[in-house]
Amino acid sequence: MDKIKDTRSFMRITHRYLGYFLAGIMAVYALSGVLLIYRDTDFLKKEKKYDKIIAKELNEKELGKELKIKNLEVEKTEGALLTFKQGTYNASTGQAQYSKKELPFVLDKMTKLHKSQSKDKLSPINAFFGISLFFFVISSFWMFNPKSKIFKRGIIFTTVGIIVSIILLFL
């Protein structure tokens, strides 16, 4: 293993090996991030049909929550049969027949990793990944001598990146 002599060597060595360690996670995050950009489209999604019994006498809001369909709107009601864009629900029997467009299993799991919350079992890996990325940002400033042309140019690119990010936040 490399010898750590000072802060610069510590940052360079840690940056290198942490980068190798996180390469797989970064690939998954990159792909799932791109997929999430197109989550409002049917890109790579396939239609899946469901026929299941759920609780009886649900209202529109409860039905949407139970079926995990955002913005569910009942278009027509005939007796106990509620018809909505994705299918039907019989309020007296609890039978719901509907279809949803979903990502294939592996891609769905990848996007769930990307969207996890603090209550999810994957949240520690997300926190570790975020902290590691922040470390990459900080440690990159120890990769080159501060007096070098590359370092000075890097500072300019960093400043431009910060400004562009701030502008995009307010658009």
Side-chain angles (χ1 to χ4, degrees):
M1 188 93 171
D2 300 321
K3 287 208 174 209
I4 297 174
K5 302 171 207 153
D6 54 14
T7 304
R8 185 165 187 242
S9 66
F10 170 79
M11 290 294 197
R12 291 176 65 92
I13 292 165
T14 307
H15 185 104
R16 179 186 319 138
Y17 291 111
L18 188 59
Y20 287 134
F21 175 72
L22 292 175
I25 296 172
M26 285 189 253
V28 169
Y29 265 83
L31 290 173
S32 65
V34 170
L35 287 173
L36 286 172
I37 292 169
Y38 299 101
R39 69 181 169 264
D40 59 338
T41 70
D42 291 336
F43 179 63
L44 297 178
K45 293 181 180 176
K46 294 187 178 178
E47 191 167 315
K48 188 172 180 184
K49 296 190 182 297
Y50 294 92
D51 186 357
K52 61 184 183 180
I53 304 295
I54 58 174
K56 299 176 185 178
E57 304 299 329
L58 296 177
N59 65 34
E60 192 172 315
K61 188 176 181 181
E62 295 168 332
L63 180 61
K65 191 173 182 178
E66 181 70 29
L67 300 179
K68 296 180 179 147
I69 297 175
K70 291 182 181 178
N71 304 319
L72 184 135
E73 289 184 33
V74 173
E75 296 173 344
K76 187 168 71 171
T77 304
E78 293 177 5
L81 188 67
L82 284 74
T83 304
F84 49 97
K85 183 180 177 182
Q86 297 86 346
T88 60
Y89 166 67
N90 189 321
S92 61
T93 64
Q95 183 177 23
Q97 295 177 319
Y98 61 100
S99 61
K100 286 171 67 175
K101 292 196 176 193
E102 298 174 347
L103 287 170
F105 180 78
V106 173
L107 297 179
D108 186 53
K109 290 295 182 186
M110 286 172 59
T111 58
K112 282 187 174 58
L113 169 70
H114 206 107
K115 298 189 306 185
S116 76
Q117 300 174 359
S118 61
K119 64 184 175 187
D120 295 334
K121 63 183 177 185
L122 295 172
S123 66
I125 195 166
N126 288 343
F128 173 72
F129 183 64
I131 292 165
S132 297
L133 286 179
F134 189 69
F135 172 79
F136 283 155
V137 169
I138 301 303
S139 66
S140 66
F141 293 101
W142 273 268
M143 296 293 128
F144 298 97
N145 186 334
K147 295 176 183 161
S148 71
K149 189 175 182 179
I150 290 175
F151 184 83
K152 291 174 183 172
R153 191 175 293 148
I155 294 297
I156 292 169
F157 274 84
T158 301
T159 305
V160 170
I162 290 169
I163 291 169
V164 168
S165 296
I166 290 170
I167 290 169
L168 291 174
L169 286 173
F170 292 104
L171 289 182

